[in-house]
Each structure stands twice: as structure tokens, then as C-alpha cells.
């Protein structure tokens, strides 16, 4: 759903169960999905299940204030959790706008089966990366079906017709719309230009049945998770076409993974989505410009923040890998990463200098910077210290960073007065996108 839709506590919602959920599904969600989407998203899913009536098909009309009270969360945290559920296919959201209120419908879907999950080109890779090899292998062992040697046994199972006979009975019409187990697939924007991919392959090399819908979905998923462009994917696909003119899916998965790991020093990708944890956010109530800046950095993911700097275009794979490193390897909090990106882009002519970033990260790790406000204040403090080190006019003219090139929180009484700087205008634009 479009993020420009503003949800209020008074807005109503209903839950519709589009599937058959059992205890095994809940275990899969907690063991396989939770390491990817987090505890809050899982908690929201289970809360929506509890909202259903006794028939487990549809809930009554509830308000989002009910969700806030039940989960003891702010509404923006609930929206964040809901988007994660939508992203992995556990939830679909519909809205109807009326004059004074909005009505939402939340459709619940089953998780993928363990077999589907462990063979998924995106979810499986991210689960491995988030858990680590030891925990991942423990989970695989939990879901692995034990093999039993039946070599010395004889199959004596009878057939249906051996047990039952057909006889004349009453007529029966086909029953429709009966609830059944239903999962929802992940939705990805197209990563690969398939027209270009097809034109790059010799016609006598591929079969007409080569690029089925499933194969295209796999290629698109692999391109997304491993950050592969059209040219790279063309070469990998070409190498994985078998003698029948079909793409060997297993070999393609391995080829994409090996290419990424070679390029990234053996590492595997994860998802760049996280936002600042609830317990590290500033308390609500302050309406100053400073507080609005803090709110913005806390409530937008580093990916979305960087995308806003690209004017809505997709960030480069290099910049995305940089964010992954800051979040996963350096373990910086998402809001802190946003402050770092804002500062470095502003003083470095909109370029992300990796060496400079690593220098700042080292200091922030030693100082245990975890909140947005701490990051903003230490950045301002260090910049003022740097200016004092300029001792000659020559150094001052060549090294001094111009005031208008700094982020908006530098040297300004933002708690007391408004600012009309370019940063403030950009802040307002991002706030509107978050609404």
C-alpha cells in the first residue's frame, strides 16, 4: 500500500482469514520468518489472528486504537510491522476512504511450508545470513524428514476401490468458496529486462519453454537478492543452460550465490529495511524542528532515506552494500545510520566516501552511539572541534566547510526557531512521504 496513506487511531479495520492456519504454521512463522521480519511483525500477525471470531474467518469491526492498546505500541511501529508482513506475503491490505474515517481490511495468509521456505531464492538466503551457519543448520535438521529403509518391506496398502463400491445416491452440486490453505507470494518489482536477456541468447541455444513464468520469477528474485544487473545475469544464465535448452535452476542459484560471495569476500546478502528500535526513540510531544528531524531519522529505513536522496530512483548496489555493512557488520542502529548518511553526503558533495565513513563509525562504536540525538550531537561537536584546528588563513580557506553545506541541525537553535534552509524543505518532503 502507498505510504502516503495516513492511518489514525480512530480508523477502523477488519481481519479476513484467507487460509487455514494451524499450530505448525505458527511454529514456522516464529522459527523461519521472525529472524527476517522481527518479533514485532510476528506479534502483529498473531494479534490479528486473535481478532478473528470463533469461526476463524472474519473479525468484527475494530479500531487501530485497539491494536495500539493491545500491543502497547505507537501507530507508526504497527504500520512498520504491517509492511514487513506484506513484504513477505503474510498479509495483504486494502483501504476504503470515507469522509471522516478510513476503513482497512487485512487479509491473512499462511506462511510458506518449510520445504518452500528452505528452497526460496530470497528468504532462505536471508535466513542463513541472519542466523549464521550453526543456527541455520539446526533449523534444517528440525524440519528434515528422516529417511527409513524399506528395502526389506512389501507395500500392502489397499486402494480406494478395494474398500469402497459405487452405488446410486442423491444428486449433489459442486460446493464453491470453501476455505483452503492459501499462501501469498512475495511481490518484487522487475529487476531484469527480459527482452534484453532473451535477445542476448542465440535462438538455437534455448528452448521455447526455457523462460516460463516460474523461471522468470526465479531470475528476478536472484537478481534482487544478489544485486545482479542485466549484463551479469546474462552471463550467468548463459552458463546454466543445459543440453535441452532449458535453464538448470539449481546451477543458476549456485552460480549467482558464488558470484556474489566472490565479489563480497564470502559474505551473503541480507535485507536492508530496519528502522530505529522503539526503545531507542525520542519520546513524543516535542514539536520543534529538531524533534521533527529526530522523528524523520527514527521512522525511515536507511534504504528509504538513501532512496530519497536518489530522488526516488533505486540506489546503486555499491551504496546498498555500504548500508548492509553499517547495519549488519558494524551493528549501527538504523536511525544512527541515517544521521551518518545525511552528514557525509552533505559535507562531501553528495558522495559516500567509504574510508571517511569507516573513520566516523570507529569513533561512534567506541562511544556506543545508539540514538539519533546522540549521533546528531556528536557530529556537530566533532565538526566544531575540526574547525578549531584550522590555524592559518590558507588552511581556513581550503579546508573550512561552508555553513550552508552542513546539515540543518548544525549551529542553529532548532528548538526555538524555524529554518527555511534546503534541508528543512527536504525534511518536510520526507515527512510527507512517511505520513
Amino acid at each position: 500500500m502507498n505510504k502516503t496513506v495516513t492511518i489514525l487511531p480512530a480508523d477502523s479495520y477488519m481481519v479476513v482469514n484467507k487460509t487455514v492456519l494451524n499450530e505448525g504454521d505458527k511454529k514456522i512463522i516464529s522459527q523461519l520468518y521472525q529472524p527476517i521480519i522481527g518479533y514485532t511483525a510476528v506479534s502483529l500477525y498473531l494479534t490479528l489472528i486473535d481478532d478473528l471470531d470463533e469461526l476463524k474467518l472474519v473479525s468484527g469491526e475494530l479500531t487501530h486504537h485497539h491494536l495500539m492498546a493491545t500491543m502497547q505500541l505507537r501507530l507508526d511501529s504497527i504500520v512498520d510491522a504491517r509492511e514487513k508482513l506484506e513484504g513477505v506475503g503474510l498479509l495483504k491490505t486494502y483501504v476504503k476512504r470515507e469522509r471522516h474515517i478510513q476503513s482497512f481490511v487485512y487479509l491473512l495468509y499462511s506462511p510458506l511450508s518449510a520445504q518452500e521456505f528452505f528452497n526460496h531464492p530470497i528468504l532462505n538466503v536471508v535466513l542463513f545470513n541472519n542466523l549464521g551457519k550453526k543456527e541455520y543448520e539446526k533449523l534444517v535438521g528440525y524440519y528434515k524428514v528422516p529417511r527409513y529403509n524399506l528395502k526389506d518391506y512389501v507395500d500392502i496398502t489397499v486402494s480406494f476401490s478395494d474398500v469402497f463400491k459405487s452405488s446410486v445416491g442423491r444428486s449433489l452440486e459442486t460446493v464453491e468458496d470453501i476455505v483452503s490453505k492459501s499462501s501469498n507470494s512475495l511481490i518484487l518489482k522487475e529487476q531484469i529486462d527480459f527482452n534484453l536477456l532473451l535477445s542476448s541468447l542465440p535462438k538455437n541455444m534455448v528452448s521455447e519453454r526455457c523462460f516460463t513464468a516460474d523461471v522468470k520469477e526465479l531470475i528476478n528474485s536472484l537478481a534482487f537478492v544478489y544485486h545482479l544487473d542485466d549484463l551479469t545475469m546474462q552471463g550467468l544464465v548463459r552458463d546454466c543452460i543445459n543440453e535441452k535448452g532449458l535453464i538448470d535452476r539449481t546451477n543458476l542459484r549456485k552460480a549467482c550465490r558464488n558470484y556474489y560471495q566472490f565479489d563480497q569476500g564470502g559474505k551473503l546478502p541480507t535485507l536492508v529495511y530496519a528502522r530505529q528500535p522503539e526503545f531507542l526513540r525520542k519520546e513524543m510531544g516535542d514539536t520543534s524542528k529538531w524533534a521533527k528531524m529526530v522523528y524523520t531519522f527514527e521512522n525511515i529505513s536507511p534504504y528509504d532515506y538513501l532512496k530519497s536522496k536518489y530522488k526516488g530512483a533505486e540506489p546503486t548496489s555499491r551504496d546498498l552494500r555500504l548500508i548492509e555493512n553499517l547495519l549488519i557488520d558494524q551493528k549501527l542502529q538504523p536511525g544512527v545510520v541515517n544521521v551518518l548518511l545525511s552528514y557525509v553526503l552533505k559535507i562531501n558533495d553528495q558522495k559516500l566516501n567509504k574510508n571517511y565513513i569507516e573513520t566516523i563509525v570507529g569513533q561512534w562504536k567506541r562511544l556506543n552511539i545508539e540514538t539519533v540525538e546522540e549521533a546528531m550531537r556528536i557530529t556537530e561537536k566533532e565538526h566544531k572541534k575540526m574547525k578549531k584546528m584550522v590555524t592559518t588563513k590558507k588552511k581556513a580557506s581550503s579546508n573550512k566547510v561552508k555553513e550552508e553545506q552542513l546539515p540543518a541541525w548544525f549551529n542553529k537553535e532548532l528548538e526555538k526557531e524555524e529554518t527555511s534552509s534546503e534541508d528543512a524543505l527536504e525534511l518536510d518532503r520526507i515527512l510527507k512521504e512517511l505520513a
Side-chain angles (χ1 to χ4, degrees), residues 216-235:
K216 285 184 176 180
E217 183 179 353
L218 174 62
I219 292 173
N220 205 48
S221 297
L222 292 171
F224 169 78
V225 74
Y226 293 119
H227 309 303
L228 302 175
D229 57 25
D230 290 325
L231 188 60
T232 303
M233 184 57 80
Q234 286 172 23

Side-chain angles (χ1 to χ4, degrees), residues 27 94 105 145-146 154 171 183 194 266 276 309 362 389 407 423 430:
K27 186 173 286 291
Y94 292 82
V105 176
V145 178
V154 177
S171 63
S183 59
F194 284 98
Q276 189 75 353
K309 293 295 185 181
M389 294 173 64
D423 294 85
I430 296 175

Side-chain angles (χ1 to χ4, degrees), residues 90-130:
L90 293 174
L91 186 72
K92 289 187 77 172
T93 303
Y94 292 82
V95 63
K96 180 174 70 174
R97 297 177 179 86
E98 298 173 325
R99 186 173 181 182
H100 298 297
I101 201 169
Q102 296 179 115
S103 299
F104 291 80
V105 176
Y106 296 136
L107 307 184
L108 286 178
Y109 289 86
S110 285
L112 299 176
S113 67
Q115 191 272 340
E116 291 171 323
F117 195 102
F118 282 113
N119 285 283
H120 195 278
I122 296 177
L123 298 177
N124 185 35
V125 174
V126 178
L127 179 68
F128 179 90
N129 194 62
N130 287 7

Side-chain angles (χ1 to χ4, degrees), residues 237-372:
V237 167
R238 183 189 292 264
D239 292 340
C240 294
I241 296 175
N242 59 27
E243 65 279 0
K244 296 179 181 179
L246 302 175
I247 294 173
D248 187 313
R249 300 187 188 192
T250 302
N251 285 345
L252 182 61
R253 284 170 179 258
K254 290 179 180 178
C256 292
R257 183 180 67 237
N258 291 341
Y259 179 89
Y260 183 90
Q261 287 184 300
F262 179 79
D263 194 44
Q264 297 299 314
K267 296 179 182 178
L268 284 172
T270 188
L271 299 182
V272 183
Y273 184 89
R275 299 180 188 177
Q276 189 75 353
E278 189 73 25
F279 71 95
L280 291 176
R281 297 187 183 187
K282 179 180 174 65
E283 291 185 8
M284 300 292 286
D286 189 349
T287 59
S288 68
K289 209 68 176 178
W290 172 277
K292 287 183 179 180
M293 284 185 159
V294 173
Y295 176 86
T296 301
F297 289 136
E298 289 177 341
N299 287 276
I300 190 171
S301 71
Y303 167 79
D304 287 328
Y305 180 75
L306 190 58
K307 191 173 182 179
S308 74
K309 293 295 185 181
Y310 275 77
K311 310 302 180 186
E314 192 72 15
T316 64
S317 58
R318 176 186 174 278
D319 286 351
L320 287 176
R321 288 196 294 269
L322 177 61
I323 294 179
E324 284 181 4
N325 174 263
L326 295 174
L327 290 172
I328 307 302
D329 298 331
Q330 303 299 334
K331 292 182 170 53
L332 288 183
Q333 296 295 343
V336 173
V337 172
N338 288 333
V339 176
L340 179 58
L341 293 175
S342 174
Y343 174 64
V344 174
L345 286 171
K346 202 66 179 177
I347 69 167
N348 200 37
D349 196 25
Q350 298 301 308
K351 290 182 288 187
L352 292 176
N353 185 298
K354 185 179 178 182
N355 292 335
Y356 183 56
I357 288 174
E358 288 177 349
T359 301
I360 297 175
V361 169
Q363 181 199 32
W364 289 11
K365 293 290 291 180
R366 291 189 293 273
L367 293 174
N368 196 31
I369 302 297
E370 290 190 319
T371 70
V372 168

Side-chain angles (χ1 to χ4, degrees), residues 50-281:
D50 291 339
D51 285 337
L52 293 166
D53 66 7
E54 294 180 359
L55 295 176
K56 303 297 182 185
L57 295 177
V58 63
S59 75
E61 191 171 0
L62 300 162
T63 66
H64 284 82
H65 182 269
H66 159 78
L67 274 182
M68 295 169 68
T70 302
M71 300 183 69
Q72 288 295 292
L73 289 175
R74 298 190 312 192
L75 194 50
D76 54 359
S77 297
I78 292 174
V79 172
D80 181 24
R82 189 206 76 207
E83 289 174 353
K84 291 180 180 179
L85 292 175
E86 292 168 356
V88 295
L90 293 174
L91 186 72
K92 289 187 77 172
T93 303
Y94 292 82
V95 63
K96 180 174 70 174
R97 297 177 179 86
E98 298 173 325
R99 186 173 181 182
H100 298 297
I101 201 169
Q102 296 179 115
S103 299
F104 291 80
V105 176
Y106 296 136
L107 307 184
L108 286 178
Y109 289 86
S110 285
L112 299 176
S113 67
Q115 191 272 340
E116 291 171 323
F117 195 102
F118 282 113
N119 285 283
H120 195 278
I122 296 177
L123 298 177
N124 185 35
V125 174
V126 178
L127 179 68
F128 179 90
N129 194 62
N130 287 7
L131 286 179
K133 184 178 180 181
K134 186 176 180 180
E135 287 296 321
Y136 175 85
E137 290 179 346
K138 187 187 297 184
L139 270 181
V140 171
Y142 179 86
Y143 285 99
K144 214 165 192 177
V145 178
R147 292 186 177 184
Y148 197 79
N149 189 356
L150 298 175
K151 181 181 178 182
D152 298 326
Y153 292 78
V154 177
D155 185 356
I156 61 170
T157 308
V158 299
S159 67
F160 182 87
S161 58
D162 290 332
V163 179
F164 301 98
K165 302 299 179 184
S166 176
S167 63
V168 178
R170 290 177 295 181
S171 63
L172 179 67
E173 293 182 0
T174 303
V175 181
E176 299 178 356
D177 298 329
I178 297 297
V179 66
S180 61
K181 195 172 183 67
S182 175
S183 59
N184 188 30
S185 60
L186 277 67
I187 300 174
L188 287 177
K189 293 180 180 178
E190 191 163 290
Q191 309 291 314
I192 294 295
D193 184 340
F194 284 98
N195 291 328
L196 182 62
L197 177 58
L198 280 167
S199 65
S200 70
L201 300 173
K203 291 184 179 180
N204 61 351
M205 188 178 184
V206 295
S207 165
E208 293 181 359
R209 298 177 290 110
C210 183
F211 289 96
T212 63
D214 288 343
V215 170
K216 285 184 176 180
E217 183 179 353
L218 174 62
I219 292 173
N220 205 48
S221 297
L222 292 171
F224 169 78
V225 74
Y226 293 119
H227 309 303
L228 302 175
D229 57 25
D230 290 325
L231 188 60
T232 303
M233 184 57 80
Q234 286 172 23
L236 293 171
V237 167
R238 183 189 292 264
D239 292 340
C240 294
I241 296 175
N242 59 27
E243 65 279 0
K244 296 179 181 179
L246 302 175
I247 294 173
D248 187 313
R249 300 187 188 192
T250 302
N251 285 345
L252 182 61
R253 284 170 179 258
K254 290 179 180 178
C256 292
R257 183 180 67 237
N258 291 341
Y259 179 89
Y260 183 90
Q261 287 184 300
F262 179 79
D263 194 44
Q264 297 299 314
K267 296 179 182 178
L268 284 172
T270 188
L271 299 182
V272 183
Y273 184 89
R275 299 180 188 177
Q276 189 75 353
E278 189 73 25
F279 71 95
L280 291 176
R281 297 187 183 187

